[in-house]
Amino acid sequence: MDKFVIRGGNPLLGTIRVSGAKNSALPCMAAAILTEDEVVLENIPQVRDIATERELLVSMGAEVELGYGRAQHRTTINCRVLSDPTAKYEIVKTMRASSLVLGPLVARCGLARVAQPGGCAIGDRPIDLHLKGLERMGASIVQEHGYLEARAGKLHGAHIVFDRITVTGTEDLMMAATLAEGETIMENCAREPEVVDLAHLLSAMGARIAGAGETTIRVQGVDKLHGARHRIIPDRIEAGTFLVAGAITGGDLVVANCQPAHLSAIVSKLQASGARISALGPDSLRVRGEGALTSNDVSTEEYPGFPTDMQAQYMALATQAEGASTVTENIFENRFMHVGELVRMGASIKVDGRTATVRGKTPLSSAAVMCSDLRASASLVLAALVADGESILDRVYHMDRGYERIEEKLRGVGAQIRRIGDMFGAGRREAALEVPVP
Ligand code: EPZ
């Protein structure tokens, strides 16, 4: 398994570029199931989850080209033939977002077999809200042998009120509703930018959607959808991670190719903690970590609140801020896996239920640490960038799921970071991610 070796102490200086949003690309790739025509998506990030989604679509019979040639970062998907509407366990177990194919498959094929995603490091990750919504739209769902089988002659419109806000639940049912008979009204929807981006693609495919990005979404079903070309929005969590990196290392970093409007909660929290952040044109932010960082409480909320996907990264920053910061995780039940590793690097953190109290500023010392999930890995990279000495981060495949070439990007702005692979290259990123450009 690949590892990162990071020597701390360098301020990050220069320009770092943000890739396309993994959490928009995944539902948008699933949306291609809804049409027999070709769907072309630009600005696709070169991350493992995208390769997994490609494998999933191909396993169902789709044709999926995925190229990262110079400035290409494009996928062309054709789901004319879907010979096997099944999301197999071997694939789903590596990426629970596979539940995003459930709604599109039932809507397009009248049948979907999706392995139950199971939990992951950060929580149980149920999909009951997806299933309840599909049942209200007329699907019958049985569960056996670890698979969910959903069938429907033709879905019909329904009035759905989500018991709690779910991002992929909103996306899954919005996709299903595009081909349902009649109108679907969904209330208590997620308002994330990735939901809006998906709605833009679906509308370009001929869907009739109103209210994406608000708590109530209305969808008028249509008979068919056609192909489209769409550019994926920038990854706001990658951008936020880089803003923290610039602040925590006392650097002067331009975060380019981002969407500042998606970063308001992150920027205001970092500014309150002493980071100097300014806009540099429509798609770039400049972050300077000049003065001392000061403690600040953060509580994760659904968008537009402070994102749970930035909680671990903020905690790393809080270890370098003067005073006590409380970090409260309201979305997932087990998203403090990074705490133990940060403590091993010298951080002072106490967890009580859903709240961690971080006392700073504590000097961090390098250590051999273990990555446990995507965003916890990012937290450990940030800590290692300021730790005294050389840290070894193991199981960086977690990082490769959602950050494109992160070590190259960070090295490009002065970080001392390198990837060491296993002797035989079996776990090497290139082997898993590089797909020949057609
Ligand atoms: C999406 O996951 C993101 N993944 C996650 O990003 C992100 O952390 C999360 O939204 C919250 O913003 C993708 O978009 C692929 P939820 P999702 O459904 O949709 C509960 C990352 O790091 N819930 O919004 O799975 C659930 O347990 C990943 O990039 C139900 O109870 O999250 C959680 O407590 C991690 N029943 C809460 O709702 C359901 O049917 C929010 O989950 C669905 C969810």
Side-chain angles (χ1 to χ4, degrees), residues 234-315:
D235 192 316
R236 60 193 169 95
I237 304 302
E238 184 188 20
T241 305
F242 292 150
L243 289 172
V244 172
I248 201 173
T249 60
D252 185 348
L253 193 63
V254 173
V255 178
N257 292 1
C258 69
Q259 186 98 322
H262 295 161
L263 293 161
S264 305
I266 298 168
V267 168
S268 63
K269 187 57 69 177
L270 294 180
Q271 287 173 327
S273 301
R276 293 186 56 195
I277 299 175
S278 52
L280 270 187
D283 64 357
S284 297
L285 289 171
R286 181 183 180 189
V287 56
R288 281 167 285 173
E290 288 162 348
L293 293 169
T294 52
S295 59
N296 240 287
D297 298 342
V298 73
S299 184
T300 64
E301 305 294 341
E302 294 87 359
Y303 192 87
F306 189 90
T308 174
D309 292 350
M310 279 296 302
Q311 179 259 106
Q313 298 91 310
Y314 183 80
M315 195 179 288

Side-chain angles (χ1 to χ4, degrees), residues 74-86:
R74 176 190 302 141
T75 184
T76 302
I77 305 172
N78 190 310
C79 294
R80 185 183 316 281
V81 175
L82 287 176
S83 48
D84 181 9
T86 303

